[in-house]
Amino acid sequence: MSIVVEMRGIGKSFPGIRAIDNIKLQIKHGEIHVLLGENGAGKSTLMNILYGLYQPDEGEILIKEKEVKITNPNVAISMGIGMVHQHFMLVPPFTVTENIVLGSEPKKGLTLDIDSAIKEVEAISKKYELHVDPRALVQDISVGMQQRVEILKTLYRGAEILILDEPTAVLTPQEIEELGVILKSLVSQGKSIILITHKLKEVMSMSDRVTIIRRGKVIDTLDTKSTNIEELAEKMVGRKVNLYQEKSLPNIGDTVLQVKGLRVLDHRKLEHVKGVDFEIRSGEILGVAGVDGNGQSELIMAITGLTKVASGAVLLNGKDITGKIPKEVINSGVGHIPEDRHKRGLVLDFSLAENSILGSHHSKKFKAGTGLNYRKIRDYAKRLISEFDVRTPSEKVSAKSLSGGNQQKLIVARELDRDPSLLIAAQPTRGLDVGAIEFVHKRLLEQRDHGKALLLVSLELDEILELSDRIAVMYDGKIVGVLDAKDATEKRLGIMMAGGDSKASDADIQ
């Protein structure tokens, strides 16, 4: 196979950080090549250089053995390189066709020749078996279909090399399967594909070769068929990793959380949570599965007092906490690992010591007269850092100086140390490497085994299936069904996540 892309000795620094260091990468014609690594490892930075969004500080890029300077995305596109970003770049009120041809429209005089554009889109979607409705509005089609539109956009502009950044992050299991078929079809027609991901299962099912990047350096490049998930995890993290936690049978007690008829509106009076009912008992984990944007975030914000409740009730240990402010919710026995650790979990410019008492800073044990007792706060932080293996030079450094995994460990430590009766864990392992994921999962299961009630909200189906005792699926602001974890399969959950029948049997789903 000929080499279509070669990157030699690529380096890039940002203020205070060496993002990538002396990276060498070769992409062969007609292969699916995965860049594997944790968030912050340098994968996206490297591909943003290939696509012309960043300029390298050193190194050279060769396309089909010719050295090139890719100064911006237009240059990349002219060289046959297309990129599908993790967050789609589509205009929702426009049609599929208008989005695909935007910026390269066929004209009739000075106006868009829409009939010609539709014919071109139909022809290209047929050629690459990416079936879309060219007249549909983007705002009316599924996330999986939107991704097809993004891929078609790059193909319409003549892409021979496609870069897909975390392409499965917002897809249902069925859509992930469909994407795998689409990618293999594109490769069979001579395209070369680079996938950025940190999901090991997808590496094994979708790729021909995999390059592992850790802390800005290439660790290894392997043929996928000659490796396995355990080896990839070890190379990604730098040590052996226990990928699956042993889970004992739950010892279920009294009801801790009851949510009754909960409705939540946004500032435009649009309903995001539509009459949700559920309960969680002590000693169990209720997982909430769903594609991003189906009301999960608003549900958590309502329970934790971060947003107003339009109607309904939230009861904790029989006590009504509906509409309480976050401080009162915390004091009533709720711990909260927020989905956005930077926005809601930490004050990045504060020290680890200061971050360790956020939400408890009004507690008498941290006071000295009218101010704070910094000696006690530092001692407290040191204990959490030690117990939860937070890798840091000291408790005095700012939170922003830590890796994502260590920031998350500090948040988990702070929330668990309050000994809450209900722990809400929202996307608790988002962007973490498999080593940090192992740590967080172990701690969550320990809480369950100590009789706590846990509400786990995650976009990672593997995480939901591994940790939950029961699984609720949210679709369009409603809970469409609740399954015992032992009865749940990826396929069944995927059907429910797309709004399908929760009572369908596995035979029906095949």
Side-chain angles (χ1 to χ4, degrees):
M1 272 193 212
S2 59
I3 304 296
V4 291
V5 175
E6 187 167 6
M7 303 180 85
R8 295 178 183 163
I10 301 289
K12 179 71 179 173
S13 297
F14 297 103
I17 184 165
R18 181 73 168 159
I20 51 176
D21 186 18
N22 192 30
I23 283 204
K24 296 176 179 67
L25 178 71
Q26 289 186 335
I27 308 299
K28 295 177 182 176
H29 174 74
E31 76 166 342
I32 300 175
H33 194 118
V34 162
L35 290 187
L36 176 68
E38 65 175 303
N39 272 21
K43 311 181 300 291
S44 293
T45 301
L46 186 66
M47 287 301 100
N48 283 333
I49 287 171
L50 182 58
Y51 191 57
L53 288 165
Y54 295 153
Q55 298 306 302
D57 297 334
E58 61 264 339
E60 55 191 13
I61 299 171
L62 288 82
I63 304 295
K64 295 178 182 170
E65 300 181 1
K66 276 191 193 162
E67 190 175 344
V68 295
K69 294 277 183 244
I70 305 175
T71 50
N72 61 57
N74 286 334
V75 173
I77 290 162
S78 73
M79 292 175 182
I81 300 167
M83 187 164 183
V84 176
H85 297 271
Q86 187 175 350
H87 303 291
F88 303 151
M89 311 277 187
L90 300 172
V91 184
F94 282 17
T95 65
V96 164
T97 296
E98 287 164 339
N99 270 282
I100 289 170
V101 303
L102 191 61
S104 308
E105 303 92 339
K107 296 279 177 66
K108 190 185 276 183
L110 293 172
T111 58
L112 169 65
D113 183 351
I114 191 67
D115 292 333
S116 174
I118 286 171
K119 278 184 186 154
E120 284 186 45
V121 168
E122 283 174 336
I124 199 168
S125 67
K126 188 177 177 186
K127 179 181 177 184
Y128 293 109
E129 298 175 27
L130 283 160
H131 306 296
V132 294
D133 177 356
R135 293 174 179 82
L137 297 178
V138 159
Q139 65 198 19
D140 295 336
I141 63 177
S142 71
V143 176
M145 279 294 168
Q146 288 178 33
Q147 189 173 63
R148 288 184 183 199
V149 174
E150 283 280 23
I151 294 170
L152 281 167
K153 253 170 69 179
T154 68
L155 296 170
Y156 177 78
R157 285 158 181 74
E160 294 295 321
I161 300 152
L162 279 77
I163 305 163
L164 280 74
D165 189 357
E166 297 284 359
T168 62
V170 291
L171 302 183
T172 66
Q174 282 77 11
E175 287 169 334
I176 291 170
E177 219 169 275
E178 284 166 17
L179 177 66
V181 172
I182 287 165
L183 298 183
K184 286 185 168 69
S185 167
L186 289 171
V187 161
S188 72
Q189 298 191 55
K191 305 298 179 189
S192 306
I193 295 169
I194 307 169
L195 289 186
I196 302 172
T197 188
H198 61 269
K199 296 183 180 178
L200 297 168
K201 211 161 79 175
E202 282 147 31
V203 175
M204 297 306 297
S205 67
M206 287 186 185
S207 67
D208 299 303
R209 289 194 305 149
V210 53
T211 293
I212 302 111
I213 298 179
R214 188 167 81 232
R215 294 182 187 171
K217 293 179 186 286
V218 168
I219 301 301
D220 206 349
T221 297
L222 303 163
D223 287 333
T224 308
K225 62 178 181 289
S226 67
T227 186
N228 55 51
I229 282 178
E230 287 72 22
E231 182 183 19
L232 291 175
E234 189 173 339
K235 285 181 182 287
M236 195 169 150
V237 181
R239 63 172 177 83
K240 279 209 181 302
V241 179
N242 182 9
L243 292 167
Y244 304 102
Q245 296 296 322
E246 290 291 324
K247 190 170 76 171
S248 58
L249 287 170
N251 183 14
I252 291 171
D254 298 333
T255 298
V256 173
L257 178 72
Q258 266 182 303
V259 174
K260 299 179 177 177
L262 195 69
R263 290 174 60 248
V264 181
L265 311 179
D266 68 10
H267 62 283
R268 296 166 298 170
K269 304 291 183 228
L270 294 175
E271 198 173 21
H272 285 280
V273 178
K274 304 175 180 179
V276 161
D277 297 278
F278 66 89
E279 65 174 42
I280 312 175
R281 291 162 294 174
S282 68
E284 74 164 341
I285 298 176
L286 176 70
V288 177
V291 176
D292 200 11
N294 277 277
Q296 306 98 308
S297 298
E298 291 79 6
L299 173 66
I300 293 165
M301 287 170 73
I303 294 170
T304 54
L306 290 164
T307 194
K308 283 183 180 173
V309 171
S311 63
V314 179
L315 304 175
L316 186 74
N317 295 316
K319 181 184 162 193
D320 193 343
I321 60 166
T322 317
K324 300 282 188 195
I325 62 170
K327 176 182 170 183
E328 293 170 321
V329 173
I330 289 168
N331 289 344
S332 64
V334 177
H336 179 206
I337 300 167
E339 62 182 325
D340 187 333
R341 57 180 165 264
H342 291 167
K343 190 174 171 186
R344 301 241 181 245
L346 299 164
V347 180
L348 291 174
D349 288 326
F350 281 17
S351 70
L352 302 190
E354 289 163 327
N355 274 288
S356 73
I357 62 159
L358 285 183
S360 306
H361 48 280
H362 45 75
S363 167
K364 282 180 186 170
K365 67 180 178 180
F366 299 125
K367 292 279 186 180
T370 55
L372 292 169
N373 185 331
Y374 271 91
R375 186 185 56 76
K376 275 192 176 173
I377 292 167
R378 283 195 295 272
D379 288 346
Y380 177 72
K382 280 180 188 169
R383 179 172 68 77
L384 293 189
I385 287 164
S386 169
E387 283 180 22
F388 286 79
D389 190 29
V390 181
R391 308 284 172 86
T392 175
S394 82
E395 77 287 354
K396 295 173 187 171
V397 304
S398 66
K400 69 183 175 191
S401 68
L402 265 57
S403 70
N406 284 304
Q407 289 174 350
Q408 194 74 346
K409 282 182 181 180
L410 184 72
I411 294 168
V412 170
R414 180 184 70 209
E415 298 306 311
L416 298 194
D417 202 67
R418 290 185 184 133
D419 198 28
S421 54
L422 170 70
L423 179 66
I424 298 172
Q427 319 301 345
T429 59
R430 176 181 272 167
L432 303 190
D433 67 62
V434 284
I437 289 170
E438 172 194 36
F439 177 90
V440 172
H441 284 183
K442 189 176 172 195
R443 292 294 183 157
L444 294 180
L445 287 171
E446 280 173 5
Q447 289 298 296
R448 165 213 191 238
D449 294 343
H450 290 153
K452 309 298 183 187
L454 279 84
L455 176 61
L456 168 68
V457 179
S458 178
L459 301 178
E460 302 288 350
L461 260 193
D462 285 349
E463 181 163 70
I464 291 282
L465 285 162
E466 185 182 339
L467 298 181
S468 306
D469 298 300
R470 292 184 301 130
I471 300 169
V473 179
M474 277 194 86
Y475 173 75
D476 192 28
K478 302 186 188 81
I479 288 181
V480 293
V482 181
L483 300 174
D484 276 339
K486 66 179 185 300
D487 301 326
T489 62
E490 226 175 73
K491 272 202 166 138
R492 182 173 293 186
L493 292 175
I495 295 280
M496 293 165 70
M497 284 160 65
D501 183 6
S502 64
K503 295 179 177 64
S505 70
D506 279 346
D508 297 331
I509 291 166
Q510 299 304 325

